[in-house]
Amino acid sequence: RMSQLILPKSIDSKFRFITVAAQRAKQLQAGAKPRVDTRSRKPTRIAVEETIAETISWEVHEEPVPAEGPAEE
């Protein structure tokens, strides 16, 4: 049961946690092998367990800010 979820220290927000787990669930649905031993067969649950166990890696890529051209007057 996941009513009280304690986030790993490497995850800075619940939103990031859900985003990482959702991407991993997609990978599992596409055929990736689970990285944790679990009784669950549901990709979303496995992805959450992997994220909590910190067995998956992820990076945050900042969106580049477009450079402003010369100001028109």
Side-chain angles (χ1 to χ4, degrees):
R1 189 167 181 187
M2 297 176 41
S3 59
Q4 287 291 70
L5 184 65
I6 298 174
L7 297 178
K9 294 197 185 302
S10 63
I11 306 265
D12 59 345
S13 68
K14 290 178 189 177
F15 177 78
R16 177 110 45 224
F17 177 83
I18 295 301
T19 303
V20 169
Q23 289 288 42
R24 180 60 181 154
K26 288 180 185 178
Q27 292 174 348
L28 291 166
Q29 288 172 337
K33 301 284 187 223
R35 297 182 181 181
V36 293
D37 291 328
T38 181
R39 295 186 321 178
S40 181
R41 292 171 42 219
K42 297 179 180 179
T44 51
R45 179 65 186 170
I46 295 169
V48 166
E49 290 182 23
E50 289 179 343
T51 307
I52 291 171
E54 298 184 69
T55 59
I56 54 176
S57 60
W58 53 275
E59 294 179 2
V60 176
H61 295 284
E62 298 295 327
E63 290 292 320
V65 177
E68 293 184 27
E72 293 183 29
E73 295 180 26

